[in-house]
Amino acid sequence: VARAFGLSRAEARTANAIALGLTPRQIAALQGISVETVRSHLKSAFAKLDVSSQQELACRVRALGST
């Protein structure tokens, strides 16, 4: 995911976690970061992947087989 779309490692981890069905709150708890930081990663990933929802992001990531 990171290479395919130019995501940072943090953005790619967050995108993969969303594709696995985790919520931003769950991702934050697992990674030891704030929910606001997760949302920031998502916002950046949305822009880079040209999507506007977590569902679209998950579909795009799954299409690459990167989960």
Side-chain angles (χ1 to χ4, degrees), residues 4-61:
F5 294 105
L7 300 178
S8 70
R9 287 184 204 172
E11 292 163 353
R13 275 194 307 269
T14 300
N16 281 320
I18 289 293
L20 291 171
L22 298 176
T23 66
R25 185 172 294 212
Q26 291 168 323
I27 296 165
L30 287 171
Q31 294 183 7
I33 58 178
S34 72
V35 174
E36 291 77 20
T37 299
V38 172
R39 293 196 188 286
S40 176
H41 294 164
L42 286 172
K43 183 177 178 182
S44 294
F46 284 6
K48 291 177 182 179
L49 276 75
D50 193 29
V51 299
S52 58
S53 71
Q54 290 179 27
Q55 182 176 1
E56 283 182 284
L57 177 68
C59 288
R60 187 73 61 93
V61 170

